[in-house]
Amino acid sequence: MSGVHVVEVAQWQGSGAATALRLREGAARLAELIPAARRRTVSLDDGAGTARGGVQNADVLERHLHAVRAALAEVPAGDLTVTVGGDCAVDLAPVEAALSAFGDRLALVWFDAHADLNSPKSSPSGAFHGMVVRALIGDGPEGLRPVRTLPADRLVLAGARSLDPGERELVGRLGIRHLGVEQLAAPAPLLEAVRATGAEAVYVHIDLDVLDPRIFPAVGTPEPGGLGVEELLKAVRALADAFTLAGIALTEYERTEDADQEEAVLRRIVDGLFRPARR
């Protein structure tokens, strides 16, 4: 795929997992696997930061947000930005950039085992990777808010199967579209959900914990009953065929000692998304 611009953001400070430091090596390796015309690695803090307003490492995360914004500002117009995390919170600035480019024509499809719709008050961990979608729809903590927010009716949760009580309440109250794993067996329900938003372009976020942990366990917060690789690939390909692809993110890979098995799965995903001629 020509015009792919990989932006590596090996952030771990937004994660609440005890194994979060593995995200650094995971991001580096995953970024290497993706064929790209251009690449850049965002320079980040190595250590933990200070909690603020119920968000762990908030000061570090705020600095990282500014760094990612600066990196995205250097991406040439027309390139497809592929953001490689790191934890899910790395996608705040890329989605913000897609909103600036596409405005009301953009929908966000969030492939994730979790909704990431907590607030600092509702979060059981204080980890910002579980709050980033709430920030994107306009309810973010100080210093971690997008310049432009996404209306909740243009958000589609895909594959989420572990929602906290406050997240379930918010999904119901705001009418957020939510497709469970069983509804993603074929792409048609997802396409229908995105079309119902009125969007012409779609940003695709993929937290690898959307996959079933029997297939890919190398994440910090695995949840049983997830997607298979082919189900994920068919869904994303269908979105890319039906809508303008505004950007894509791959996040939450925690590299372990079983790296060979993990990379076999990752190569299937990368080949399926970025090397269509090999399908």
Side-chain angles (χ1 to χ4, degrees):
M1 183 182 293
S2 62
V4 169
H5 197 129
V6 169
V7 179
E8 178 191 332
V9 191
Q11 175 178 284
W12 62 270
Q13 294 92 337
S15 172
T19 51
L21 286 172
R22 293 176 177 172
L23 289 167
R24 297 183 296 187
E25 188 175 356
R29 183 56 184 145
L30 180 52
E32 289 176 353
L33 293 176
I34 298 172
R38 284 172 280 273
R39 303 174 183 274
R40 65 183 61 235
T41 300
V42 180
S43 180
L44 304 174
D45 290 12
D46 290 328
T50 303
R52 183 183 67 215
V55 180
Q56 298 297 318
N57 304 313
D59 56 338
V60 169
L61 294 171
E62 185 173 358
R63 287 195 293 272
H64 289 180
L65 175 58
H66 291 300
V68 178
R69 282 172 173 158
L72 293 173
E74 298 298 320
V75 174
D79 279 11
L80 175 68
T81 300
V82 178
T83 304
V84 180
D87 62 69
C88 285
V90 305
D91 226 7
L92 184 62
V95 175
E96 172 189 85
L99 280 164
S100 295
F102 290 93
D104 292 340
R105 297 181 294 130
L106 183 78
L108 170 62
V109 177
W110 198 264
F111 287 97
D112 197 316
H114 312 88
D116 297 347
L117 281 167
N118 271 305
S119 68
K121 288 185 178 180
S122 70
S123 171
S125 67
F128 186 60
H129 74 165
M131 310 179 202
V132 62
V133 177
R134 189 155 182 158
L136 284 166
I137 63 171
D139 187 17
E142 179 184 356
L144 295 170
R145 297 167 182 157
V147 173
R148 180 167 183 164
T149 59
L150 179 84
D153 63 3
R154 286 195 273 114
L155 167 65
V156 179
L157 302 176
R161 53 198 184 276
S162 178
L163 279 70
D164 292 320
E167 294 178 307
R168 290 190 182 279
E169 186 277 331
L170 188 71
V171 168
R173 175 161 52 86
L174 298 182
I176 293 171
R177 293 175 174 86
H178 175 202
L179 280 71
V181 170
E182 67 284 353
Q183 295 169 284
L184 297 171
L190 179 60
L191 294 177
E192 181 180 352
V194 177
R195 288 191 183 106
T197 71
E200 299 171 9
V202 63
Y203 186 99
V204 176
H205 171 95
I206 301 171
D207 179 335
L208 291 164
D209 72 15
V210 78
L211 297 172
D212 194 288
R214 293 173 298 178
I215 298 170
F216 192 79
V219 293
T221 50
E223 300 289 346
L227 290 176
V229 172
E230 283 306 314
E231 291 171 318
L232 175 64
L233 290 176
K234 286 178 182 178
V236 177
R237 289 175 194 147
L239 289 170
D241 287 342
F243 304 93
T244 300
L245 188 58
I248 188 167
L250 293 163
T251 67
E252 299 280 356
Y253 171 37
E254 294 193 2
R255 199 172 195 214
T256 74
E257 61 275 7
D258 294 324
D260 288 346
Q261 293 183 9
E262 294 159 11
E263 287 193 17
V265 176
L266 293 174
R267 287 181 186 278
R268 286 177 62 196
I269 294 171
V270 167
D271 283 357
L273 294 179
F274 304 108
R275 295 188 177 98
R278 296 188 180 186
R279 295 205 300 265

